[in-house]
Amino acid sequence: MLIYVSSIPAAEGRAKFEQVYRHYRGLMYEAAFRLLGSEEDAEDAVHQAFLYLAENISKISEPICTKTRSYVVIIVESKSLDMLRRRKRRPTVELGENTPGLSAALPEDRGLAAAIAKLPGRERELILLKYAYGYTNSECAKLFGLSYHGIHSLDQRAKNKLRQLLQEEGIDV
């Protein structure tokens, strides 16, 4: 709880947050677990919700009331749904001891992988993030610290260079 409380500047806000934390953490966990079905994911969602609450503690007038109860449940459900959306966009594979390693095409294959490997670092990263991992332009813009239009331009340059590299290798695009 110290992590959350330390980010709240006013003593009044810290006291209010402590009351909310102690009173609703179990309810929030149950709501998150109901949606996510995993203890670890539910804990992550509750953590994200408390970070949000710490930033927005001024929106809570009375720490223990039905309005606050509804507010914290809505927040944790929202954070849980965000996690589900991210999971859906970028599916993960559970790794175990018997899970074989991932295989990737080597650059010597003289194909798309080789052409991507020849791109400058930033352009190569963008191509992989967008087209291999499904990131959107907006997400890439945040990761690269660029505007939406800046990432669009970088994407166009990267695709043009990739097209040129493939044509040099004799591969029709």
Side-chain angles (χ1 to χ4, degrees):
M1 182 169 58
L2 278 175
I3 278 181
Y4 309 120
V5 174
S6 65
S7 67
I8 302 170
E12 177 186 316
R14 287 192 291 267
K16 194 186 309 181
F17 182 86
E18 284 183 44
Q19 285 182 305
V20 169
Y21 180 87
R22 292 182 198 285
H23 194 76
Y24 295 112
R25 67 180 175 213
L27 174 68
M28 292 170 72
Y29 176 82
E30 289 173 18
F33 185 79
R34 201 172 333 112
L35 286 171
L36 298 168
S38 160
E39 290 180 19
E40 294 84 10
D41 289 343
E43 289 172 3
D44 288 346
V46 170
H47 171 70
Q48 292 299 319
F50 276 124
L51 287 174
Y52 180 85
L53 282 170
E55 292 174 4
N56 297 285
I57 196 66
S58 62
K59 293 180 180 179
I60 297 175
S61 56
E62 187 64 37
I64 301 173
C65 69
T66 56
K67 186 176 177 182
T68 302
R69 176 187 165 103
S70 298
Y71 183 62
V72 298
V73 169
I74 288 169
I75 290 170
V76 77
E77 286 177 347
S78 174
K79 297 299 179 183
S80 299
L81 291 173
D82 288 346
M83 289 176 70
L84 287 172
R85 281 188 210 103
R86 275 190 301 262
R87 189 184 302 159
K88 194 178 215 178
R89 259 193 318 226
R90 293 181 201 91
T92 58
V93 176
E94 293 295 324
L95 298 178
E97 290 182 26
N98 298 328
T99 305
L102 300 174
S103 61
L106 299 175
E108 294 80 35
D109 290 345
R110 293 192 45 150
L112 181 60
I116 291 172
K118 291 179 183 175
L119 287 173
R122 199 170 165 145
E123 293 168 356
R124 180 178 55 245
E125 289 172 4
L126 178 62
I127 292 290
L128 291 173
L129 285 173
K130 280 193 67 176
Y131 302 103
Y133 298 110
Y135 281 71
T136 64
N137 274 351
S138 299
E139 292 170 327
C140 290
K142 288 178 187 173
L143 289 171
F144 283 78
L146 296 173
S147 68
Y148 180 85
H149 296 293
I151 210 71
H152 179 73
S153 296
L154 181 63
D155 183 35
Q156 291 302 315
R157 278 195 308 274
K159 287 191 289 189
N160 288 336
K161 284 183 184 177
L162 186 58
R163 186 177 297 115
Q164 182 182 13
L165 287 167
L166 288 170
Q167 287 172 347
E168 288 173 3
E169 294 292 326
I171 299 172
D172 279 335
V173 182

